[in-house]
Amino acid sequence: MRNTISFSRSIVKTLSAVEAEQARSNQHELNGVAELKKLLGENKITFRATFSTRGSNDQVDSDLTWYDAREDHPTRSEFRLYFQTNSVMSQAKAGSTLYLGFDDNGAFNVELVP
């Protein structure tokens, strides 16, 4: 079983149906709540992350993109965290919890607690 992640900076996010369930949305995006914006900033970035499921050996590396979906709008911003389909996020459901953040080595982790 995978060791516990030691986060140096992280947030906790409870997933909504449109964030977690493919029948509700094929967007593969998390809403960019204020805590994510504090963690990732305001610039568009693409980076590698390790996705894992708590209590399981299930682990996959995948790209994430943080961006403002309304970057061309003069007065509105709407940040999103885009993720690729992967075996961990395929287990997510509305109400699942994600721990997202940087570990002690500076790597970004997404841990699903189903």
Side-chain angles (χ1 to χ4, degrees):
M1 196 169 305
R2 184 168 192 242
N3 291 333
T4 302
I5 301 168
S6 178
F7 286 101
S8 61
R9 294 184 310 138
S10 64
I11 68 156
V12 177
K13 179 154 182 38
T14 302
L15 298 178
S16 66
V18 295
E19 293 172 311
E21 298 173 9
Q22 288 186 348
R24 296 289 302 269
S25 173
N26 273 332
Q27 297 292 324
H28 296 93
E29 293 178 329
L30 303 178
N31 294 323
V33 295
E35 291 81 7
L36 263 175
K37 194 172 177 182
K38 287 178 191 173
L39 187 66
L40 298 173
E42 294 190 24
N43 296 318
K44 180 179 181 176
I45 53 173
T46 298
F47 55 99
R48 202 77 173 153
T50 299
F51 288 77
S52 61
T53 305
R54 184 173 288 177
S56 167
N57 287 327
D58 194 13
Q59 180 178 322
V60 62
D61 290 333
S62 186
D63 288 332
L64 289 171
T65 300
W66 173 248
Y67 71 102
D68 183 355
R70 305 247 187 244
E71 68 181 339
D72 293 332
H73 194 283
T75 60
R76 287 187 60 202
S77 63
E78 190 174 304
F79 284 87
R80 302 273 186 240
L81 184 61
Y82 173 82
F83 58 90
Q84 298 170 321
T85 301
N86 64 64
S87 59
V88 171
M89 291 305 291
S90 294
Q91 299 171 55
K93 295 177 178 40
S96 293
T97 300
L98 287 181
Y99 289 85
L100 303 101
F102 297 95
D103 66 21
D104 292 336
N105 297 317
F108 199 85
N109 290 268
V110 179
E111 183 180 36
L112 172 68
V113 181

